[in-house]
Amino acid sequence: MRQKKPTKRQHMQIQWHDIVRSDSDIPAKSAPLKEKTSLVGRVGSMMLACGTSAWRVRAAMNKISRTLSISTNIDVGLTTIHFTCIEDGKHYSQTIALPTTGVNTDKLMDMEMFIESFGEKASEISVEKIHEILDKIDSHKPTRKAWQLGLSAGVACFAFTFLLGGGLIEMICALIGAGIGNFIRKLMLERKLSLLVNVALSVLASCLSYVLSISLIELIFNLPPTHHAGYICAMLFIIPGFPLITGGIDLAKLDLRSGIERITYAILIIGTATLVGWVTAMTVHFNPADFEALNINLPLKIALQIVMSFVGVFGFSMMFNSPVKMAVTAGAIGTICNVLRLALIEAFAIPLGVSAFIGAFLAGILASIIKRNVGYPRISLTIPSIVIMVPGMFMYKAVYYFGLYDLSTGADWLTKAILIVVALPLGLVFARFCTDRDYRHCS
């Protein structure tokens, strides 16, 4: 039988240990420039692979460089880093390219702890030993299995559906659709399938799962076809909250290359997902009508908003591989901020964009306080807590109506979506300006 040839890597791995002398016991601070550069580059690439912003990647690389008594100029993109290290008139440049991007908040916390303790390590052990420590951190792959990530997405979209106005039937079907969709997405990620194929197939699976489950429920209980709007909620797990928001943060810090690349990446995912959802809806004759009004009193509604905000943020945080305690913390922050945002909209008629800004600003302030006392990375708390505010339904409706050539309605939904998407990172940026002296300066 003819054996299948293994797929060759398009992005070849860097053999970090080949750059350094394995028999050297010289402390890292006294190592040659080439070996110091390998540490700076590896730390930067590992931080970038965790999904954090360009500013945070540069800050980490700068801290390593200063500890090693070298100067470094750095240019960060979505998946690439170009940098030059300089010492005593000599310079050494490297380009590092990652095969893809992703989010891993657990590894990000490990990296921040490593960077905080790097000064002590650099004075005592060799570059080779430090690379061995980084090997251990790098070997910590996402711990959750495909079914766990599917369940996390399903739970998050279950809660999301209620917050968007859906009832119990829509919530259950959204849980099924999102759970199956993210389960399939994880399996395809493990097989290294390309981005757009992954997005298209996982969204198709989630939409079809919602259609089949809602059709079965309507058939069994003889219900009228009034629960179709929830199929949008079944695909909201695919909305790329991390790159969308970190892209806005990078633009605010004039990291234009990284910001534009991250926003472009997010638009690719959103565009593919909404187009697949639209084609599926046209095929099965679903339309994004408004949810039927829920007949519940105000105290119960507020109580459910509190519960569902926590559940939604907790689910999204678990999707990002956060430890349970970190996910609970993000859930608590998200609950406070999202309930406040909903109250501003419903009780005081505050515009959507302004409400989103206030919610994100409060999330940033709370995350900074927790960062000082607990040590969790801010971004691991802020982005999961405001992902639930990202207007995925508005984006889908914009594409849906554009597809029907109803340009005015589509433009109305798109405008609402853009205002909220712009407001969310701005809220985090201003919160960081208020709480981080280093961040508020450009030098």
Side-chain angles (χ1 to χ4, degrees), residues 249 268 308:
I249 293 172
L268 278 173
M308 292 304 167

Side-chain angles (χ1 to χ4, degrees), residues 142-440:
T143 55
R144 296 191 176 91
K145 299 178 181 179
W147 71 267
Q148 293 173 315
L149 291 175
L151 180 61
S152 298
V155 167
C157 291
F158 173 88
F160 215 150
T161 304
F162 173 80
L163 295 172
L164 290 171
L168 183 60
I169 293 176
E170 291 93 343
M171 293 165 67
I172 292 172
C173 293
L175 186 152
I176 295 170
I180 292 174
N182 204 41
F183 172 78
I184 292 174
R185 177 172 174 263
K186 174 60 176 177
L187 294 180
M188 289 189 290
L189 285 173
E190 292 174 352
R191 288 160 177 76
K192 311 296 184 183
L193 289 184
S194 62
L195 173 68
L196 297 187
V197 173
N198 184 311
V199 172
L201 292 181
S202 57
V203 169
L204 179 62
S206 65
C207 291
L208 291 179
S209 298
Y210 183 93
V211 170
L212 292 175
S213 58
I214 199 70
S215 299
L216 184 61
I217 289 175
E218 289 174 351
L219 179 64
I220 293 173
F221 296 100
N222 194 28
L223 299 175
T226 57
H227 306 284
H228 292 179
Y231 82 95
I232 304 173
C233 302
M235 54 184 274
L236 294 180
F237 68 91
I238 204 70
I239 298 299
F242 249 86
L244 196 64
I245 294 169
T246 55
I249 293 172
D250 284 342
L251 291 176
K253 289 294 293 181
L254 293 183
D255 283 312
L256 299 183
R257 177 183 164 218
S258 177
I260 292 170
E261 289 181 11
R262 288 171 187 268
I263 296 296
T264 302
Y265 171 79
I267 290 173
L268 278 173
I269 294 176
I270 293 169
T272 302
T274 51
L275 285 172
V276 170
W278 172 63
V279 171
T280 305
M282 292 294 97
T283 303
V284 299
H285 305 292
F286 273 36
N287 62 79
D290 293 333
F291 290 108
E292 290 188 343
L294 299 176
N295 295 318
I296 55 177
N297 57 47
L298 184 59
L300 178 59
K301 182 179 180 180
I302 294 173
L304 288 174
Q305 285 179 344
I306 293 172
V307 173
M308 292 304 167
S309 294
F310 177 84
V311 170
V313 175
F314 179 83
F316 280 122
S317 188
M318 295 292 281
M319 284 174 58
F320 300 144
N321 202 48
S322 298
V324 174
K325 289 183 179 179
M326 186 189 292
V328 169
T329 306
I333 294 174
T335 300
I336 295 169
C337 300
N338 193 53
V339 171
L340 171 64
R341 179 184 69 93
L342 293 173
L344 291 175
I345 295 170
E346 297 173 3
F348 301 100
I350 302 296
L352 297 175
V354 177
S355 301
F357 175 88
I358 294 172
F361 179 82
L362 180 58
I365 296 294
L366 294 175
S368 295
I369 295 172
I370 292 171
K371 164 73 175 175
R372 295 195 194 101
N373 293 279
V374 181
Y376 291 149
R378 288 183 186 87
I379 199 169
S380 300
L381 300 176
T382 54
I383 294 185
S385 66
I386 67 172
V387 161
I388 203 166
M389 305 179 192
V390 175
M393 178 173 281
F394 292 3
M395 297 173 186
Y396 174 79
K397 286 186 175 183
V399 172
Y400 178 87
Y401 286 110
F402 283 143
L404 297 179
Y405 302 107
D406 187 349
L407 302 184
S408 61
T409 305
D412 181 56
W413 286 112
L414 182 61
T415 301
K416 293 177 182 178
I418 291 174
L419 288 174
I420 296 173
V421 168
V422 170
L424 291 175
L426 279 179
L428 295 184
V429 166
F430 277 88
R432 193 71 178 268
F433 283 165
C434 294
T435 57
D436 189 339
R437 184 178 62 181
D438 293 334
Y439 189 85
R440 72 174 67 110

